Amino acid sequence: MHYFKHKSILRCAIRLAVAVLLLTWVTGTVRAQSSKWLQKGEAAFSEQSYPEAIQYFEWAHKKKAGIAALEGLGKCHWALKRYSEAEKWYRLASETAGSPAINYFYWGRCLMANEKYTAASDAFKKCAQLLPPTQSADYLSLLNLIQGLKRDSSDFEIQPLPFNSPVSDFSPMWFGDGLAFTSARRNEAGIATISNVDGSRLTDLWYVAQNPAGDWQKPRPIKALNSRINEGPLTIDSTRKILYFTRNDPGMLRSRDRSQRLNKLRIYTALWGEETGWTGGDPLPFSTGEHAVGHPALGPDGQHLYFAAELPGGDGGTDLWRVTLSGDQWTAPVHLDAPINTAGDELFPYLGKDGTLYFASDGHLGLGGLDLFMARPDGSGGFLPPVNMGYPLNTHADDLGYVTRDRGRTGYFSSNRGGDPTDDNIYAFRQLRPRFACIPQQENNYCFRFTDAGGLEMESDTVSLLHEWNFGKGDRIIGDSANYCFPGPGTYIVELNLVDTISGFVFLNEATYEVAVTDIEQIYIDGPDTVIVGENVVFDGFRSQIPGCKINEFYWEISDGTKFKGDSIRLSFSDEGQYRISLGAAGDSANTSLRCLNCVYRDITVLSETQMRAVQDSLRAAAATEMKRRRNDPRYQDSLRAAQRRVAMVQQLRDSADQVFRLELLRSRERIDPKSLDFKNYPIREFDLRGDYSYTVGEADDPLQLYPLFREAVDEGFEDAIVVAMVEESESGVDTIKGVALPAERTERGITLFKGTVVDSQGNPLAAEINLEDLEKGIRLVRSKADDEGKFRLELPNGKLYGYYLDLPDYYPVSNRIDLREVDTSAGKPLIIVNEEIKMMTVREIFEQGLAVRINNVFFDFDRDELRPESRYELDRLARILLENPNLNVEIMGHTDDVGNDAYNLDLSRRRARSVMRYLVLSGYPVDKITYAGYGERQPLVENDSPEGQQLNRRVEFRFLPGKRN
């Protein structure tokens, strides 16, 4: 089937090749003057009467017309897509003495069309040797990448549609409840329209409906659009009331020039009326009939029309153009230029919903014949360089007429890959895994330099203090600055302390910094760099990020060809060596309709056990050398004695003009009689910190003035002594109620009394610690404690969202929330009382009984699966419990109420459980010890017949799975 003007031959993409070709034609014409058969053959070829031209060229060949006859036979058979015959004649032409080098190029293209890629490479090499760099050099590069384009066909599922006929059916397009397509089949009366010019079948527009079950109905011609000449393809707007289609210019039927009668394609429009059906049939104004114009395709906004044409100003061959609707008039055609158009043919444009341009081309590097390409929009009205869509969408044959509605996941296209080059068929495709272009994974940098800017000035002859940076977990560095590498992403607390070198105790916490360590926003493969042969190892993608994109699918590929799908994979390698792991992530862009596709790879080394032991011994030796160096540093020895000291300040000193400094002798959960703390006759101040009692002595505007007093306190046995900052008679530390001031608010707003009892699973009272949080601000407000009878009492100012959790060694930290945001906050309102009995269970009980524990204070926006920021406090506590029991296997379970579709609820609950699992993995819990599942509405706790019941059923839980426990 000739798709556009019954095209005859491929045009080279490189201008030099075109020039050489023109020289070939001139030479051939000169030779043809000596033979009437060559002249008749060239005339018939120019009129696209290829069978007739073949007959003349065969007679010329018998008359020893030489290379010109061989070239003529080659180009005629190529035009008719008889690639085996074309290969034969171009081979003979290339091997004849004196043959132009360009014939090697055409021979190579024929070999590619016949999937003889090695022989094609030899032909292109010969062409490249005889000519300056031309398109043959590009095809040599293509042949080196041919295996990449012909990737595993398991990425796609491709099936021919059942309504294909024995003749050409091509160029499908969405239409009504099915597809419109172009076909040369017989009409309903059993009559096929035949050209009175060359006897070929002419094409009509057809429609095939698809029922809700997915079955195709009987195809029917679109009678209102068909005529006695060629029609098709078409495109239709989103209202389904305006369409544009291709048709031969009927005014040329009476032309004496056969090529004119066949080739003058124009674009026509038709309108839909409920009573009249499709009417119109008027050509668009820029489609005058002077030049061939066809293959219309509307852009997603309906204001731009793309089409293929041979208009002046193009790059040669058939190019893609665009017009814009301004008011009710179309603008003049605009050429798409490079990188879209080439000196070859670009045909069959189609615009996806996201603005991606799909088209067929034989000018871009492909696998043979017409190949399918895609070009993403560049954001400024143009397109990025086209990408070959690869095998199996593309083959050695002609592949064209691609359409999709879901960014390439499913759709249709047409191809003559069935063996008969004149018989196109329509195929359905379904993408089983996306195609990715992978780049190396970048290494994250977790190293920082810390400097004391604007700190305290000390005179070395009066105080024995050193700056010490405390990074947690025993990591301390002495000095005014420090270089430190964190173990991974997260939020870390870094303390800058003044350490007394005589006692080794912290004299003052000068500042506390909160450092947010983040990963590079990229797809990230988390897992070991080196593994042992036969060892089971887990790799996961939980730390992956694509800016502005919500990731919903992960695809893995190993260099040995194996592929997986999922958040994580478990691998075992049977042989030593280097392996490459690739991870592709697909998702939906938050700001555009484009689909996100990103991919990275990293290499891992697989060693034998003997090799691994040698590597580990080397690493241990290096680590021991570094530790020995640090331990021999006297300043490091001094800093070790300051471990496990309580931090008293969380902000830079001297930030407030109202603050003063005092020496805190100690802090106690239980009240102590100040008289029992007699300290050198200094007056001792007592402060009730709502959960703790603080006892201080002395006062100064400069903390260094308290250093002598600090030394005396340490010598007297007050080893907990530390300088603290006081603001408005409250200590400005992490364990205070600064910013809450509960007693003052009693007169300003209503109060809710939260009281109750804490018991264990047997009903016995527990003296658990009770922590109150402001969930909206993310700060701890009050730390209190139940008494020996398990009773507690807290006063909560109304108008806030509170969270609380109960903490007790060996028990799971029970939590919940109290939402007082909608409660009247007016002063003097009646006291609201919340009374609860809170049951706590040990981690062992939860494990041994296989109980499902609700994770409270975990928040999602409506219909979303992203964790809200206030969820991290609850999940951090759960992560702490899990990290203390790293051998436990855990399942995260998501549940919903019964509002909405069951399948959707199942998916939403699964995605929410996955978000919680991802957070815990990023917190350090082993990915191979944790799984997730969504149960939707299938496991309700109570009936869904009330808002309260629905609220209880919307939950995320965890449970410990059977297995080993510490």
Side-chain angles (χ1 to χ4, degrees), residues 293-608:
V293 175
H295 300 184
L298 276 168
D301 60 2
Q303 302 299 301
H304 295 86
L305 185 71
Y306 296 77
F307 57 92
E310 285 188 337
L311 296 175
D315 289 333
T318 303
D319 286 350
L320 298 184
W321 300 71
R322 177 178 60 203
V323 292
T324 303
L325 191 61
S326 178
D328 58 355
Q329 299 294 321
W330 292 101
T331 62
V334 176
H335 188 253
L336 294 191
D337 294 329
I340 301 301
N341 287 316
T342 67
D345 288 332
E346 280 69 51
L347 305 161
F348 297 99
Y350 171 74
L351 277 295
K353 290 183 178 180
D354 59 2
T356 299
L357 173 64
Y358 302 90
F359 63 98
S361 172
D362 62 12
H364 293 284
L365 299 183
L367 296 176
L370 290 170
D371 268 22
L372 292 167
F373 293 84
M374 62 176 291
R376 300 284 194 190
D378 64 5
S380 60
F383 296 95
L384 298 173
V387 176
N388 188 297
M389 298 184 71
Y391 183 83
L393 291 178
N394 287 321
T395 63
H396 66 286
D398 287 323
D399 305 292
L400 53 117
Y402 175 100
V403 295
T404 181
R405 275 179 171 164
D406 52 10
R407 306 176 192 174
R409 294 180 178 91
T410 60
Y412 305 93
F413 70 100
S414 40
S415 175
N416 62 358
R417 64 184 62 186
D420 181 355
T422 66
D423 180 18
D424 298 285
N425 286 298
I426 299 174
Y427 295 83
F429 72 85
R430 182 167 68 93
Q431 188 181 62
L432 304 180
R433 60 184 285 134
R435 294 281 174 83
F436 296 99
C438 298
I439 61 174
Q441 177 174 306
Q442 300 180 63
E443 290 301 320
N444 291 302
N445 180 28
Y446 304 136
C447 299
F448 295 81
R449 179 173 178 79
F450 295 87
T451 303
D452 178 25
L456 297 173
E457 298 181 1
M458 296 174 292
E459 298 181 10
S460 59
D461 58 344
T462 60
V463 295
S464 300
L465 299 173
L466 287 176
H467 277 120
E468 176 195 72
W469 299 86
N470 182 0
F471 297 97
K473 296 185 178 180
D475 289 344
R476 288 171 164 79
I477 298 176
I478 286 181
D480 292 336
S481 62
N483 297 329
Y484 185 76
C485 296
F486 294 97
T491 300
Y492 297 88
I493 300 299
V494 178
E495 304 158 5
L496 175 57
N497 295 323
L498 284 177
V499 178
D500 176 30
T501 58
I502 297 175
S503 66
F505 295 150
V506 174
F507 164 71
L508 174 73
N509 171 237
E510 185 175 342
T512 298
Y513 305 95
E514 185 177 272
V515 181
V517 180
T518 59
D519 284 335
I520 298 171
E521 291 188 321
Q522 63 174 332
I523 306 305
Y524 193 84
I525 302 170
D526 215 346
D529 294 316
T530 309
V531 299
I532 299 174
V533 171
E535 176 187 19
N536 283 321
V537 290
V538 175
F539 296 87
D540 71 79
F542 289 118
R543 290 163 63 182
S544 297
Q545 302 175 69
I546 302 178
C549 178
K550 177 186 174 184
I551 300 173
N552 47 41
E553 293 173 335
F554 288 98
Y555 298 88
W556 301 82
E557 185 168 359
I558 317 302
S559 53
D560 62 8
T562 55
K563 298 179 181 181
F564 307 90
K565 181 179 179 181
D567 304 314
S568 61
I569 57 173
R570 185 185 299 272
L571 298 177
S572 177
F573 298 90
S574 57
D575 298 306
E576 302 169 14
Q578 291 286 122
Y579 292 84
R580 175 160 293 179
I581 299 179
S582 300
L583 174 60
D588 298 319
S589 173
N591 302 317
T592 71
S593 57
L594 289 174
R595 192 181 187 200
C596 312
L597 293 174
N598 288 58
C599 181
V600 300
Y601 64 82
R602 53 175 282 209
D603 296 326
I604 64 168
T605 303
V606 180
L607 303 175
S608 67

Side-chain angles (χ1 to χ4, degrees), residues 750-754 796 798 820 823-824 829-834:
I751 291 293
T752 291
L753 177 61
F754 176 41
L796 312 180
N798 295 332
L820 303 179
V823 177
D824 192 339
K829 289 294 180 180
L831 183 67
I832 300 172
I833 299 177
V834 177

Side-chain angles (χ1 to χ4, degrees), residues 499-806:
V499 178
D500 176 30
T501 58
I502 297 175
S503 66
F505 295 150
V506 174
F507 164 71
L508 174 73
N509 171 237
E510 185 175 342
T512 298
Y513 305 95
E514 185 177 272
V515 181
V517 180
T518 59
D519 284 335
I520 298 171
E521 291 188 321
Q522 63 174 332
I523 306 305
Y524 193 84
I525 302 170
D526 215 346
D529 294 316
T530 309
V531 299
I532 299 174
V533 171
E535 176 187 19
N536 283 321
V537 290
V538 175
F539 296 87
D540 71 79
F542 289 118
R543 290 163 63 182
S544 297
Q545 302 175 69
I546 302 178
C549 178
K550 177 186 174 184
I551 300 173
N552 47 41
E553 293 173 335
F554 288 98
Y555 298 88
W556 301 82
E557 185 168 359
I558 317 302
S559 53
D560 62 8
T562 55
K563 298 179 181 181
F564 307 90
K565 181 179 179 181
D567 304 314
S568 61
I569 57 173
R570 185 185 299 272
L571 298 177
S572 177
F573 298 90
S574 57
D575 298 306
E576 302 169 14
Q578 291 286 122
Y579 292 84
R580 175 160 293 179
I581 299 179
S582 300
L583 174 60
D588 298 319
S589 173
N591 302 317
T592 71
S593 57
L594 289 174
R595 192 181 187 200
C596 312
L597 293 174
N598 288 58
C599 181
V600 300
Y601 64 82
R602 53 175 282 209
D603 296 326
I604 64 168
T605 303
V606 180
L607 303 175
S608 67
E609 289 192 39
T610 302
Q611 293 171 325
M612 180 65 82
R613 280 196 296 269
V615 171
Q616 291 173 338
D617 290 343
S618 175
L619 292 175
R620 278 194 292 268
T625 300
E626 173 61 16
M627 182 58 69
K628 182 177 180 180
R629 183 193 67 78
R630 293 183 64 187
R631 286 177 175 170
N632 290 335
D633 186 338
R635 295 185 303 174
Y636 179 72
Q637 293 177 345
D638 289 339
S639 70
L640 287 179
R641 289 181 292 177
Q644 307 302 321
R645 297 292 296 167
R646 178 171 51 82
V647 177
M649 293 183 60
V650 291
Q651 59 184 27
Q652 287 281 356
L653 296 180
R654 300 174 178 172
D655 282 349
S656 171
D658 297 328
Q659 74 179 1
V660 295
F661 299 93
R662 292 177 183 156
L663 178 67
E664 183 181 80
L665 296 176
L666 58 85
R667 180 178 296 190
S668 173
R669 289 288 183 86
E670 306 297 333
R671 185 179 182 278
I672 301 174
D673 184 356
K675 294 180 180 180
S676 67
L677 300 174
D678 183 38
F679 175 59
K680 292 184 177 291
N681 296 318
Y682 282 93
I684 296 178
R685 296 179 176 89
E686 176 186 353
F687 295 95
D688 182 357
L689 301 180
R690 291 271 172 173
D692 283 346
Y693 292 88
S694 174
Y695 302 90
T696 68
V697 297
E699 184 173 290
D701 294 331
D702 188 330
L704 296 181
Q705 295 174 5
L706 296 173
Y707 180 70
L709 191 60
F710 168 80
R711 293 291 313 126
E712 290 184 47
V714 171
D715 291 342
E716 290 291 325
F718 290 95
E719 295 186 354
D720 289 332
I722 189 169
V723 173
V724 296
M726 307 297 294
V727 180
E728 297 177 352
E729 297 300 307
S730 295
E731 183 182 348
S732 59
V734 295
D735 297 326
T736 75
I737 58 172
K738 181 174 179 286
V740 180
L742 292 176
E745 292 195 7
R746 287 184 63 93
T747 61
E748 299 174 4
R749 60 172 62 189
I751 291 293
T752 291
L753 177 61
F754 176 41
K755 66 177 185 175
T757 306
V758 186
V759 298
D760 64 14
S761 58
Q762 306 301 317
N764 301 312
L766 295 174
E769 181 180 272
I770 303 169
N771 297 270
L772 187 69
E773 299 170 316
D774 184 328
L775 288 179
E776 293 180 300
K777 294 183 178 179
I779 59 175
R780 184 166 62 180
L781 302 176
V782 173
R783 185 175 68 188
S784 185
K785 187 177 181 181
D787 60 22
D788 292 339
E789 296 180 355
K791 295 181 179 180
F792 66 90
R793 174 189 176 99
L794 294 172
E795 294 178 350
L796 312 180
N798 295 332
K800 295 182 179 181
L801 174 62
Y802 295 98
Y804 67 85
Y805 70 94
L806 279 66

Side-chain angles (χ1 to χ4, degrees), residues 207-240:
Y207 165 68
V208 57
Q210 189 177 31
N211 64 25
D215 298 321
W216 294 102
Q217 308 301 298
K218 180 181 179 181
R220 301 184 181 279
I222 308 176
K223 294 180 180 179
L225 303 180
N226 292 328
S227 68
R228 57 195 181 95
I229 50 182
N230 281 305
E231 276 85 24
L234 65 74
T235 185
I236 190 169
D237 77 339
S238 59
T239 68
R240 299 186 178 184

